[in-house]
Amino acid sequence: MTFSARVAVPLSIAAAIAFIPQSALALDAGDWLVRVRGIAVEPNDSSGGINPLLPTGRIGVDGDFTGEVDFTYMFTENIGTELILATTQHDLKGGGSIAPLGKIGDARLLPPVLTVQYHFLPKNWIRPYVGVGMNYTIFYDEHASNSLATALGGPTSVRLDNSVGVAGQVGVDVDVAPNIFLNVDLKYVDLDTTAHVTSGATVLRSDVQIDPLIFGFGVGIRF
């Protein structure tokens, strides 16, 4: 799915909400909100050189589209906290002097995000919110590509350091039935890591900024 298509889907949902009739859902302290979303993860990636041997090489990160589940607990009718659970898979691509290698590896991310939210209109059928919080990203199942191993002259591995960073979000819930609502959500995650490329006795390192935008759309239920 292209970037424009990923953006168009949640925007089309947002455009449709004006035609949804009002229902009676209202937020109260003690409520649980559970949402299931499809999310498009679009990295704003950049990197330094792959040092010491490839200072003009770069590492890029492709996006992904996957499913996600999140849980919100309302402490008051306006203030809640949300935990987002998902895992994504990303191809690593060569840039700069190693761009001809194409894909140089892949990795999976487990990036739980915890935010504190403020819901502006808890008694309304359209309920916008904003949130701020923290992200802890765990990288796992990393692999180097055959093209990278061939370029470095032997068996090669890739490892990415786990990351801690801030996260922000804006979103809106829209009632479609009692206790059921649609959701559109946008998050920004500060996600920086160091890539370690090992080939024989040679260890190369590169600082990589991923900093993704996460576009989400889905459906939720209140308990």
Side-chain angles (χ1 to χ4, degrees), residues 109 111 135 137 139 161 163-166 188-193 208-212:
L109 280 67
N135 159 257
T137 295
F139 294 88
D161 290 342
S163 170
V164 177
V166 299
Y188 171 80
V189 176
D190 176 30
L191 200 171
D192 301 331
T193 184
V208 182
Q209 293 78 48
I210 302 176
D211 298 343

Side-chain angles (χ1 to χ4, degrees), residues 1 9 11 27-28 30 45 48 62 72 80-81 88 98 111 114 136 146 149 156 171 177 182 197-198 212 214-215 223:
M1 182 179 291
V9 174
L11 289 181
L27 294 182
D28 292 303
D45 56 314
D62 280 346
T72 298
T81 184
T88 58
I98 65 167
L114 181 66
Y136 182 73
N146 290 334
T156 301
L182 295 180
V197 179
T198 302
I214 304 174
F215 301 90
F223 295 96

Side-chain angles (χ1 to χ4, degrees), residues 91-201:
D91 287 343
L92 308 177
K93 56 189 179 182
S97 63
I98 65 167
L101 297 180
K103 177 181 174 180
I104 61 171
D106 57 72
R108 293 185 179 274
L109 280 67
L110 180 64
V113 180
L114 181 66
T115 60
V116 176
Q117 300 174 331
Y118 186 84
H119 294 252
F120 292 97
L121 301 169
K123 304 304 183 185
N124 208 357
W125 69 286
I126 298 179
R127 294 179 301 282
Y129 59 85
V130 296
V132 63
M134 297 295 296
N135 159 257
Y136 182 73
T137 295
I138 300 168
F139 294 88
Y140 68 101
D141 200 24
E142 304 106 313
H143 303 96
S145 70
N146 290 334
S147 62
L148 181 61
T150 300
L152 294 178
T156 301
S157 64
V158 173
R159 180 176 62 83
L160 299 168
D161 290 342
N162 295 342
S163 170
V164 177
V166 299
Q169 70 179 147
V170 295
V172 62
D173 294 322
V174 181
D175 292 355
V176 294
N179 295 325
I180 299 175
F181 53 91
L182 295 180
N183 174 261
V184 179
D185 186 270
L186 172 64
K187 293 182 180 69
Y188 171 80
V189 176
D190 176 30
L191 200 171
D192 301 331
T193 184
T194 299
H196 305 262
V197 179
T198 302
S199 181

